[in-house]
Amino acid sequence: MRTLCASTLIGEFFVIGFAGLVAMKGDISGTTVWTVCGIAMLLSVLLCGMLGRPGAIQIGWALQIALVLSGFVVPTMFFLGAVFAGLWWASIHYGRKIDEAKARWAAQEEQASAGPDAA
């Protein structure tokens, strides 16, 4: 799950940066745009390292909501935020299934290597 979620977060890092460039054309000051974008970009990178800790998934969801809401500044972000929210959900959902399958395979390998006498 961590790999899929981290991949989504790194993609978001770049999208946030490009959205910041687009937002510069609006009425908002460059300092405000890059403060908000910088915090969001830093959060997306830091979350990559925190994915194994409690609460990281929930913080990731908060980032997804913030991306969708950034559509009020850059309208394209309504669409891109929804796409990344879907990718975030898929990363969590399918990542957990992959982790469960790996655990089952590891248990089967361990049982097979122990031999028939271990049972």
Side-chain angles (χ1 to χ4, degrees), residues 71-93:
F72 288 110
V73 178
V74 179
T76 306
M77 289 305 292
F78 283 124
F79 172 72
L80 289 174
V83 167
F84 274 98
L87 287 171
W88 184 250
W89 174 84
S91 296
I92 294 167
H93 179 74

Side-chain angles (χ1 to χ4, degrees), residues 3-74:
T3 303
L4 292 173
C5 289
S7 299
T8 301
L9 290 167
I10 293 301
E12 286 179 8
F13 173 86
F14 290 107
V15 168
I16 294 167
F18 291 131
L21 292 172
V22 173
M24 293 280 295
K25 293 182 180 183
D27 296 335
I28 302 172
S29 73
T31 305
T32 303
V33 168
W34 289 113
T35 300
V36 172
C37 287
I39 291 169
M41 291 169 77
L42 181 64
L43 180 61
S44 68
V45 171
L46 291 176
L47 270 173
C48 290
M50 294 175 42
L51 285 170
R53 297 184 183 197
I57 300 298
Q58 290 78 10
I59 295 170
W61 277 116
L63 181 62
Q64 306 313 310
I65 292 167
L67 279 179
V68 172
L69 293 177
S70 69
F72 288 110
V73 178
V74 179

